[in-house]
Amino acid sequence: METILELRHVNKAFKGFALKDISFSLKRGFIMGFIGPNGAGKSTTIRCLMDLIHPDSGEVWLFGQKYTGDNTVLKQKIGFVYDQDVFFQELTAEKNKQVIAPFYERWDDTLFYRYVKEFQVPLNKKMKTLSKGTKMKFALAVALSHHAELIIMDEPTSGLDPVFRRELLDVLFDVIQDENKAIFFSTHITTDLEKIADYITFLLDGKILFSKEREELSETFRIVKGSRSLITTIKQADPIVYKETSLGFEAFMFTDQTEKLDKKIAFHIERPNLEEIMYYLVKSKKTETAY
Amino acid sequence: MMRSLMIKDVVIQGNRTYLVMLAILIIISAQSYFVDAVFKLSIFSVLVACVFAVNTNFGKQISDEQNALLISLPLKRRTLVTAKYLMISVWFTAVFVAFFGFRILFICFSGGAVIGDVFLYLSAFLIGMSTMYIFLSLYYFSYYRWGIKIAQVAAQVIWPACIALLPWINLNDHQLSGLLVLISVFAAVVVLLLSYYRSVRLFEERDL
């Protein structure tokens, strides 16, 4: 399967923050979730992907071509959703569509109005009067209406109610049935990713902590729980994160470490979900380690 | 693409701006201050056309987020800058024609005679257009150099100041000479080229 998106050793420094050696890739037919705490650099990375920010060094490749000064052909194939009010707020949704549509060679009005109807976006209202969720729905309708092959979304589910979030995931799932497409999206809501993401890329303090298959990731870590009497044993195993609780302790470790432990004593071992992985890794601050 | 960008500028202007400016044009056209004053009308056209150009690019509805939208579309940054500069002539021509149209209508309805020959009107048009290009070339450059906030604040100060100063500036049609037209056009071309190439470069390098 062809690589549709690739960042190679991208660096970008700002005052007080920097993206450091960002490298990951996404193939056609897959969904990649981009996670990390606030300020980790997710939006900055997406801005690099969208050519809004010029990396200090490194390369951005899309559809097998390197980003250069003229990326108009590549951008014809990208649908984007930002977590900001990028549309013209004084215009109605319909007027915004009229402004944007002519720039896309493969704009499909039928598809647009189908999504607008499905998402219940009022086209006759000014953008500034729409709720954040409705603006996001409109942005999504625009992103999906020009037969984009790569959909890039920055926090698309934030501000959406659970019902629409579920509907959105269904839409994305439908989109990805076309194996020629790929979806890259950042989010804080990790449960959404557990439903649909094939790959997870975790960014922390401007560095990639890991970029892995979701299944592989869930096999990488374990949460170990036990009583206070086992604290010394668990500490000797050098867990990534260890904390004492009212009932005993909780330790976040690599799976292979837990397998060694398991033979000696009966610990309670759980498979962490994405939120727990994110939480413990941020807590550990072991940013120098590549997982 | 260029055409779509220029249409975008017309669409985002908003009906209220068009109505207010139309009212101003009609009221001003009827003023005795402008009797037999083609030069004055031309310079006033510049001020009105500047409102359209500035509002569409730096109005309260515009921020860097809209630039993020435009850059994310399949467009070159250079094209975005070029469209801005091209629209200067569109706004000026539209306002100039409307202004003089209303003025001639008022003269006809009041039973007067339309004065001046083709050279007078053409000179007024070229000097007005040149003035607009010089003014906005400097203004657009300042935007690309220092950002939208500076441009928005500057617009709120400069435009009222120009309106206030206009009646004090001695403009009469005898000043409209071929030499003045040549100097204006030459100055406009020089300022425009310098501003345009520098603006393109700044915008191509800018992070949003």
Side-chain angles (χ1 to χ4, degrees), chain B residues 38-51:
Chain B
V38 176
F39 198 3
K40 282 179 186 169
L41 275 174
S42 173
I43 296 302
F44 201 82
S45 299
V46 172
L47 292 175
V48 175
C50 278
V51 172

Side-chain angles (χ1 to χ4, degrees), chain A residues 73-112:
Chain A
V73 177
L74 299 180
K75 285 183 180 175
Q76 286 287 350
K77 297 190 267 187
I78 301 175
F80 58 88
V81 175
Y82 292 134
D83 183 27
Q84 284 172 317
D85 290 333
V86 293
F87 296 104
F88 298 99
Q89 299 301 302
E90 294 291 325
L91 300 185
T92 62
E94 173 69 33
K95 289 269 186 196
N96 268 284
K97 186 238 81 168
Q98 287 171 11
V99 166
I100 294 162
F103 298 108
Y104 288 104
E105 290 163 4
R106 299 177 66 203
W107 181 268
D108 187 337
D109 254 355
T110 313
L111 199 56
F112 173 76

Side-chain angles (χ1 to χ4, degrees), chain A:
Chain A
M1 207 51 95
E2 182 201 350
T3 299
I4 201 164
L5 177 164
E6 188 175 8
L7 269 78
R8 295 180 187 170
H9 308 291
V10 167
N11 289 281
K12 178 71 185 179
F14 298 96
K15 209 181 253 181
F17 173 75
L19 286 182
K20 298 161 207 153
D21 197 27
I22 303 292
S23 295
F24 62 86
S25 62
L26 173 64
K27 291 186 188 308
R28 283 185 193 272
F30 294 101
I31 298 178
M32 178 179 277
F34 194 43
I35 60 172
N38 284 335
K42 298 189 298 295
S43 293
T44 307
T45 307
I46 286 179
R47 284 179 170 249
C48 281
L49 282 173
M50 290 306 302
D51 198 24
L52 300 179
I53 286 176
H54 306 296
D56 296 334
S57 62
E59 294 170 355
V60 178
W61 289 68
L62 291 170
F63 309 100
Q65 287 181 48
K66 189 178 162 186
Y67 250 8
T68 57
D70 181 6
N71 304 309
T72 49
V73 177
L74 299 180
K75 285 183 180 175
Q76 286 287 350
K77 297 190 267 187
I78 301 175
F80 58 88
V81 175
Y82 292 134
D83 183 27
Q84 284 172 317
D85 290 333
V86 293
F87 296 104
F88 298 99
Q89 299 301 302
E90 294 291 325
L91 300 185
T92 62
E94 173 69 33
K95 289 269 186 196
N96 268 284
K97 186 238 81 168
Q98 287 171 11
V99 166
I100 294 162
F103 298 108
Y104 288 104
E105 290 163 4
R106 299 177 66 203
W107 181 268
D108 187 337
D109 254 355
T110 313
L111 199 56
F112 173 76
Y113 289 115
R114 201 189 83 198
Y115 279 123
V116 160
K117 194 177 171 189
E118 192 179 326
F119 299 162
Q120 296 177 315
V121 179
L123 286 174
N124 57 347
K125 287 192 175 172
K126 286 187 176 181
M127 290 303 289
K128 68 178 181 185
T129 64
L130 301 181
S131 68
K132 193 181 179 198
T134 310
K135 284 177 188 173
M136 198 58 89
K137 290 175 187 178
F138 174 74
L140 189 65
V142 171
L144 296 173
S145 297
H146 56 93
H147 303 282
E149 291 171 33
L150 172 63
I151 313 284
I152 295 175
M153 299 186 286
D154 191 7
E155 301 279 355
T157 50
S158 70
L160 299 181
D161 61 71
V163 176
F164 183 70
R165 261 179 38 223
R166 189 61 189 259
E167 286 170 6
L168 167 68
L169 298 181
D170 289 342
V171 170
L172 296 182
F173 197 73
D174 282 347
V175 170
I176 209 67
Q177 295 313 301
D178 177 352
E179 291 191 349
N180 202 34
K181 297 187 176 182
I183 298 170
F184 177 83
F185 78 106
S186 69
T187 183
H188 286 296
I189 306 169
T190 50
T191 48
D192 293 343
L193 295 178
E194 275 161 351
K195 292 188 183 86
I196 60 163
D198 301 296
Y199 291 90
I200 304 291
T201 296
F202 189 163
L203 191 69
L204 183 60
D205 293 337
K207 292 181 193 169
I208 296 288
L209 221 55
F210 58 74
S211 186
K212 289 187 178 208
E213 250 184 88
R214 183 169 50 90
E215 291 300 320
E216 187 191 342
L217 187 62
S218 63
E219 291 304 320
T220 306
F221 301 105
R222 288 288 182 270
I223 293 174
V224 181
K225 292 178 181 173
S227 64
R228 288 180 187 277
S229 61
L230 301 172
I231 284 176
T232 314
T233 317
I234 201 73
K235 277 185 174 175
Q236 283 169 352
D238 192 23
I240 299 165
V241 178
Y242 160 84
K243 69 172 184 181
E244 290 187 18
T245 64
S246 57
L247 297 171
F249 69 87
E250 266 184 35
F252 182 71
M253 329 176 59
F254 290 109
T255 305
D256 54 356
Q257 286 177 304
T258 61
E259 280 165 1
K260 287 172 198 164
L261 279 176
D262 213 10
K263 290 170 192 166
K264 297 176 188 169
I265 310 161
F267 289 94
H268 179 69
I269 298 173
E270 293 174 5
R271 185 181 294 211
N273 59 32
L274 260 179
E275 189 174 308
E276 287 167 328
I277 293 173
M278 189 165 142
Y279 166 73
Y280 282 114
L281 289 180
V282 171
K283 203 170 162 61
S284 78
K285 289 280 179 186
K286 287 188 174 177
T287 52
E288 260 50 69
T289 312
Y291 295 99

